[in-house]
Amino acid sequence: MQPRDLSDHVAYEAGRGIEEVARELGRNPSEFVKLASNENPHGPSPAATEAIRETAASVNGYPKAAHADLTEAIADQWGLVDAQIWLANGGDGAIDYLHRATVEPGEDVLVPDPGFAYYGMSARFHHGGVTEYTISRADGFAQTAETVLEHYDGERIVWLTSPHNPTGSTIALDDIEHVAAETGEDTLVVVDEAYGEFADRDSAVSLLEGRNGFDARDDVAVLRTFSKAYGLAGVRLGYAIVPEAWSEAYTRVNTPFAASELACRAGLAALEDDDHVNRTVETARESRAAMRDHLETHVWESEGNFVLAAVGDASAVAEETQARGVIVRDCSSFGLPGCVRVTCGTEAETERAIETLNAVLVDLDVQPAEVTEP
């Protein structure tokens, strides 16, 4: 007995953790700073931490009430009805739900390249196919409707990422609307806003609800997560925002109790902790600016909690930077072997990353021609 043919599937490559790297190098974990996974440098919302402590003794029960409470709270935050909120086990869980609700076996989804590998992985898990559109370094990783539409060929879902990982670029709401208008009536446009809190622009929820001068659409969905700005990556909590007409589909595609009791109670508390989110966003903005100003290489403009930097040989630079105690993300797995992604850390972490990466570029004799745009 063997599993089904998984030869078309690839393993997801997560950023390396401090404990993993320290064990490998035989060193103390305290020597390292991890800036590879776009995690919140301030940790979880303190209110969420307290909620987890208070909830721990009641995790013997299923999270029915907590699930309903969090759904209602998120809907209120966005001015939506509860049925438009699809809670999930992280943003990747919401991706699975949207594919289950939409993709028939053999139908394709259109995904960005480079981009989040799980869009394609999930589609293939659900027996769908994957086509790609390119977000090009030669174009400064700009995202436009034309870039997407020139590759569109009737796919069931079009995935947009704003801000985009790993580049930090965004796509304007006018362009998102144009994509939705020019794709078929059976195509759903999903805007992944996992890093939305860090961007200085309106959410694509405006397109679902007919706000800010847009007509309401029933072919756009939005993805959000508690992993980044709220600092809850470890409890796995995300959600999709869907058109109201999709409301009944959730009960037919979600797993029973799609988010845990701890996750729901943490999410409820985090939603009320504006101070933590504001501090996190401000830290990211300051860190992005510092890295653009002081890294001695090309750094692209970013609206996420990370920057993409040109380094010539990403593998060599990431390895040497890691050896010096700063873990960054080699973007070879994204198809960008000349770039590393650096998460926005605290002021001290950002300063250390800048000093370390600059020294590595000098010591490895990375030439200007290797790191200039494009």
Side-chain angles (χ1 to χ4, degrees), residues 163-187:
H164 175 257
N165 179 23
T167 70
S169 68
T170 56
I171 182 168
L173 292 186
D174 286 341
D175 283 271
I176 298 171
E177 182 187 46
H178 186 51
V179 170
E182 293 299 317
T183 50
E185 62 180 16
D186 290 328
T187 294

Side-chain angles (χ1 to χ4, degrees), residues 219-240:
D219 55 357
V220 174
V222 176
L223 214 65
R224 285 270 172 161
T225 182
F226 283 81
S227 294
K228 311 303 180 183
Y230 295 100
L232 297 179
V235 302
R236 311 306 302 128
L237 181 62
Y239 59 96

Side-chain angles (χ1 to χ4, degrees), residues 28-99:
N28 192 310
S30 65
E31 298 177 37
F32 295 90
V33 171
K34 181 186 177 186
L35 299 176
S37 296
N38 301 339
E39 294 157 340
N40 192 316
H42 299 303
S45 154
T49 301
E50 183 60 28
I52 290 172
R53 290 194 189 101
E54 293 177 354
T55 304
S58 62
V59 294
N60 59 304
Y62 290 110
K64 186 172 183 180
H67 197 282
D69 291 345
L70 180 57
T71 297
E72 181 180 9
I74 294 172
D76 287 347
Q77 183 187 59
W78 290 104
L80 305 170
V81 299
D82 293 5
Q84 291 181 264
I85 307 301
W86 290 11
L87 290 186
N89 182 40
D92 44 346
I95 292 170
D96 283 337
Y97 293 161
L98 289 169
H99 282 150

Side-chain angles (χ1 to χ4, degrees), residues 62 93 105 113 116 210 227 231 248 265 269 275 285 298 302 320 326:
Y62 290 110
D113 176 33
F116 185 33
S227 294
E248 292 185 5
R265 292 303 175 193
D275 289 344
R285 289 173 177 167
H298 183 75
S302 171
E320 182 59 28
V326 178

Side-chain angles (χ1 to χ4, degrees), residues 241-263:
I241 302 173
V242 302
E244 194 168 353
W246 286 56
S247 58
E248 292 185 5
Y250 183 54
T251 58
R252 300 176 186 275
V253 299
N254 72 321
T255 55
F257 308 108
S260 74
E261 179 77 11
L262 290 178

Side-chain angles (χ1 to χ4, degrees), residues 107-110 151-158 183-184 186-187:
E107 293 182 327
D108 290 345
V109 302
L110 181 62
H151 293 86
Y152 173 73
D153 189 26
E155 286 83 2
R156 196 70 163 90
I157 294 181
V158 174
T183 50
D186 290 328
T187 294

